[in-house]
């Protein structure tokens, strides 16, 4: 496989937060993953809320194997009508996802670790803020850690190097247009 120059200088990673109510948080993280894979680096994405990743990206990620590993750790949407799982089940799943994220980040294998929807899980109090801040603090310098999800905690924002807030300006959903294949899923 042809990749970008392997002789490039050593690279340090960043803590990146993609938050806000506009579309583009997870897809921004996936774009960053594609860029990193261009250097033949390995990327791991841990999904904190099952069901937020769509068929398009799940299949796309498979095509980037073995450089892209996806771990579905969450237990589904929290508090949805008809949802039968207790908060404790969601909490246990979120804690497990955080533990997996920590292991992957410290494994030495991955240059990018994406914690998808972790901000949302934190805002629902499925995780302890101090545990998330601890994870950020022990990040090996070469690893880029990406935390996505709306309502990022102020302390997480302060701990990050790069924060982008997606601002909704227009979304076809407002006109009742259903999700679009290849764009939304
Ligand atoms: P994407 O995965 O497209 O980058 P996201 O990660 O920013 O979106 P999520 O909160 O994870 O947003 O929601 C994912 C789904 O919700 C996508 O289908 C997306 O199009 C849709 N969505 C995101 N933002 C909005 C919005 N402001 N209004 C309506 N639908 C939205
Ligand atoms: Mg998302």
């Amino acid at each position: 496989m042809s990749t970008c120059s392997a002789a490039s200088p050593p690279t340090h990673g960043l803590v990146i937060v993609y938050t806000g109510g506009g579309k583009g948080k997870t897809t921004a993280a996936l774009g960053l993953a594609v860029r990193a894979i261009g250097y033949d680096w390995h990327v791991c994405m841990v999904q904190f809320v099952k069901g937020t990743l769509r068929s398009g990206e799940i299949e796309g990620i498979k095509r980037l194997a073995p450089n892209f590993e996806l771990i579905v750790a969450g237990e589904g949407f929290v508090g949805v009508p008809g949802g039968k799982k207790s908060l404790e089940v969601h909490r246990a799943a979120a804690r497990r996802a955080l533990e997996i994220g920590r292991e992957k980040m410290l494994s030495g294998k991955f240059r990018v670790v994406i914690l998808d929807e972790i901000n949302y899980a934190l805002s629902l109090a499925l995780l302890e803020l101090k545990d998330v801040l601890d994870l950020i603090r022990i990040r090996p310098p070469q690893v880029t850690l990406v935390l996505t999800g709306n309502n990022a905690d102020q302390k997480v924002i302060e701990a990050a190097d790069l924060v982008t807030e997606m601002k909704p300006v227009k979304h076809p959903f407002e006109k009742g247009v259903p999700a679009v294949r290849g764009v939304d899923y």
Side-chain angles (χ1 to χ4, degrees), residues 18-30 52-54 57 77 116-117 120 148-150 166-174 179-180 183-185:
Y18 294 130
T19 191
K23 170 175 160 55
K25 301 172 289 293
T26 298
T27 45
L30 291 169
T52 52
L53 277 191
R54 308 307 162 101
E57 57 255 35
F77 292 97
D116 190 50
E117 293 292 353
Y120 181 59
T148 85
N150 198 9
M166 274 63 180
K167 178 184 162 192
V169 176
K170 228 185 208 188
H171 196 294
F173 184 76
E174 293 152 21
V180 177
V183 174
D184 292 304
Y185 65 94

Side-chain angles (χ1 to χ4, degrees), residues 107-181:
S107 69
K109 178 176 178 185
F110 299 99
R111 290 292 286 264
V112 178
V113 174
I114 300 164
L115 306 177
D116 190 50
E117 293 292 353
I118 188 173
N119 296 326
Y120 181 59
L122 189 56
S123 76
L124 292 172
L126 300 181
L127 294 168
E128 301 272 349
L129 175 62
K130 72 169 172 40
D131 292 339
V132 177
L133 295 175
D134 273 355
L135 183 85
I136 293 173
R137 199 167 34 75
I138 63 167
R139 174 185 65 90
Q142 77 280 7
V143 176
T144 288
L145 183 64
V146 185
L147 302 97
T148 85
N150 198 9
N151 299 316
D153 190 282
Q154 193 53 40
K155 291 266 189 274
V156 171
I157 288 173
E158 283 164 22
D161 301 298
L162 191 167
V163 180
T164 298
E165 183 173 0
M166 274 63 180
K167 178 184 162 192
V169 176
K170 228 185 208 188
H171 196 294
F173 184 76
E174 293 152 21
K175 288 190 195 158
V177 177
V180 177
R181 180 196 280 179

